[in-house]
């Protein structure tokens, strides 16, 4: 059972991908949703500043951070990667569970959307849709680099956290989600 943060962004697309692989999902919209049992967590793409404000306002922060730190397998896409990062644009990040230094809107605000393919760990020819995406400027100790795009780090794994700058939920390829479900 996967809990998908559903306060803003493209959470539905993540649910569709996971459901296509037979995984059940439910939406985390308020604190009481976090009382349900779940064994995976998804932070979707969207707008990280809006998401962080809602996470605070809805009093989801402490429980979500505890769940990530307790080892619940966590998938984070784009804005989700920004939320997990220890450092964002040189300042302290939000959850700070992922020891990386991330740059927001790293490809420029207007022209920052593009599509490419590349590797994700062992997987090759993975479709990658970048939308006003961040990239990782530096990865800390113990962080496994899974994708590099134009010499920038765009996907990593650290313990139970799988995070990418691009949007696997907007492509037809289910392999990244399968990797997540195998964690
Ligand atoms: N630019 C967005 C942010 O800063 C992330 C974009 C996305 O999730 N597609 O949160």
């Amino acid at each position: 059972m996967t809990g998908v943060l559903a306060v803003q962004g493209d959470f539905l697309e993540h649910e569709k991908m996971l459901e296509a692989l037979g995984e059940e999902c439910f939406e985390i919209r308020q604190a009481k949703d976090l009382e349900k049992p779940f064994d995976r967590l998804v932070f979707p793409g969207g707008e990280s500043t809006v998401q962080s404000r809602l996470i605070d306002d809805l009093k989801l922060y402490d429980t979500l951070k505890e769940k990530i730190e307790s080892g619940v397998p966590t998938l984070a896409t784009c804005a989700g990667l920004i939320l997990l990062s220890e450092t964002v644009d040189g300042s302290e990040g939000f959850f700070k569970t992922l020891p990386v230094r991330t740059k927001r809107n790293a490809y420029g605000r207007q022209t920052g959307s593009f599509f490419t393919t590349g590797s994700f760990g062992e997987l090759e020819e993975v479709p990658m849709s970048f939308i006003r995406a961040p990239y990782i400027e530096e990865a800390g100790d113990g962080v496994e680099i899974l994708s590099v795009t134009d010499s920038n780090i765009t996907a990593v794994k650290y313990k139970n956290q799988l995070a990418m700058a691009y949007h696997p939920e907007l492509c037809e390829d289910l392999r990244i989600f399968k990797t997540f479900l195998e964690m």
Side-chain angles (χ1 to χ4, degrees):
M1 176 65 78
T2 296
V4 180
L5 182 70
V7 295
Q8 191 270 342
D10 71 340
F11 47 89
L12 259 181
E13 285 73 8
H14 287 76
E15 291 167 30
K16 282 184 191 147
M17 298 300 267
L18 290 164
E19 283 163 4
L21 289 165
E23 175 71 0
E24 265 187 82
C25 298
F26 75 95
E27 297 181 351
I28 300 168
R29 296 174 175 277
Q30 48 185 326
K32 80 169 173 25
D33 297 329
L34 288 167
E35 291 164 14
K36 292 183 197 163
F38 60 94
D39 36 34
R40 288 168 198 286
L41 201 46
V42 168
F43 290 91
E47 194 51 47
S48 57
T49 41
V50 177
Q51 293 182 358
S52 62
R53 201 167 347 108
L54 288 166
I55 289 167
D56 278 335
D57 289 353
L58 295 162
K59 304 210 172 358
L60 303 174
Y61 182 88
D62 291 340
T63 312
L64 287 173
K65 186 169 161 104
E66 264 166 42
K67 293 278 183 193
I68 303 166
E69 286 178 336
S70 73
V72 172
T74 299
L75 176 98
T77 304
C78 202
L81 158 66
I82 295 169
L83 292 183
L84 300 188
S85 299
E86 205 166 85
T87 307
V88 177
D89 291 345
S91 303
E92 195 177 312
F94 187 64
F95 285 117
K96 297 169 289 209
T97 52
L98 184 63
V100 298
R101 209 150 58 81
T102 297
K103 183 174 162 63
R104 278 185 73 196
N105 298 312
Y107 303 91
R109 267 189 174 272
Q110 301 305 324
T111 54
S113 301
F114 60 96
F115 177 85
T116 186
T117 57
S119 344
F120 174 88
E122 310 260 277
L123 307 176
E124 286 176 21
E125 296 284 316
V126 174
M128 298 174 175
S129 176
F130 288 81
I131 304 171
R132 292 180 300 107
Y135 62 64
I136 294 170
E137 298 173 296
E138 199 183 316
D141 282 350
V143 176
E144 187 188 343
I145 294 169
L146 298 175
S147 303
V148 174
T149 311
D150 294 337
S151 71
N152 298 309
I153 304 168
T154 52
V156 293
K157 181 176 181 207
Y158 177 70
K159 298 182 182 168
N160 55 312
Q161 300 167 65
L162 198 59
M164 57 231 75
Y166 48 86
H167 290 268
E169 77 283 10
L170 300 180
C171 302
E172 299 211 324
D173 194 313
L174 290 166
R175 289 177 294 166
I176 289 180
F177 290 93
K178 195 160 174 279
T179 304
F180 172 57
L181 292 177
E182 284 163 0
M183 274 167 68

